[in-house]
Amino acid sequence: MDVAAAKQQMRTAALAARGAMSDADRMAAGVAVARHCLDQWQGARRVAAFVSFGTEPPTRPLLDGLAASGTQIVVPVVTGDDLRWVGYEATGPQLDADPLAAVDVILVPALAVDRHGNRLGRGRGYYDRALTGVSASAIAVVYDDELLDDVPVEAHDRRVQGVLRPAGYSPW
């Protein structure tokens, strides 16, 4: 099986597993992820994160917790083939021309991640492009069973420097 087909098969399995989770289990996972996130990055000056949707680990608890601690948060908005970063909070300082240049960490969505930092996204390459040339650590946010031994990888895929999941935070 080629890499693209292996990635698609892994995406299908991950989405099916997420779809089988109860809302209560998803919310409990989001609360646990938020707790570990705040333990690690509370007091950070600026964090790039994502607003979860569908069956992704809920990020609203971590976003609200970081905002309450005074951390500036930037979140992505899809614009064509790229991500544009905007402030999560309605008020706050104006963003720099390159908001990712000044972040302490970037929390990125993933369907799976392996212990080598290979991340499986949804296949559109938004984060692979956004992470090119960024010096801040990128951390994949997943459910516990989405930390795998191996994830198929292609030349354009960008690695992450750690994983944040309900069981805790693990840097590589």
Side-chain angles (χ1 to χ4, degrees):
M1 178 182 311
D2 71 355
V3 174
K7 288 170 88 172
Q8 189 54 46
Q9 185 177 35
M10 190 174 277
R11 282 185 191 101
T12 300
L15 290 169
R18 284 181 172 189
M21 291 179 73
S22 72
D23 289 342
D25 286 345
R26 244 189 303 282
M27 185 49 70
V31 169
V33 164
R35 185 178 66 250
H36 297 302
C37 178
L38 292 173
D39 287 347
Q40 189 66 34
W41 293 289
Q42 187 172 22
R45 193 175 69 76
R46 182 185 288 174
V47 170
F50 63 99
V51 178
S52 59
F53 74 96
T55 58
E56 291 178 333
T59 58
R60 183 77 59 188
L62 75 84
L63 293 169
D64 291 345
L66 287 170
S69 74
T71 299
Q72 184 185 26
I73 302 162
V74 295
V75 296
V77 175
V78 175
T79 310
D81 288 334
D82 294 309
L83 298 178
R84 182 173 56 87
W85 297 86
V86 299
Y88 172 66
E89 307 90 344
T91 61
Q94 184 172 337
L95 297 179
D96 311 322
D98 181 7
L100 295 185
V103 298
D104 296 303
V105 67
I106 305 168
L107 303 176
V108 299
L111 291 169
V113 65
D114 68 22
R115 298 171 195 285
H116 309 287
N118 297 311
R119 174 189 157 273
L120 180 71
R122 292 189 180 254
R124 304 249 196 244
Y126 293 116
Y127 282 91
D128 294 318
R129 288 187 294 278
L131 296 175
T132 300
V134 175
S135 61
S137 292
I139 308 301
V141 180
V142 296
Y143 293 105
D144 289 327
D145 61 351
E146 295 171 344
L147 175 59
L148 307 175
D149 291 331
D150 289 297
V151 168
V153 64
E154 295 176 279
H156 68 270
D157 292 330
R158 297 286 175 245
R159 287 191 170 147
V160 295
Q161 289 69 50
V163 62
L164 179 62
R165 57 197 182 108
Y169 165 67
S170 300
W172 320 130

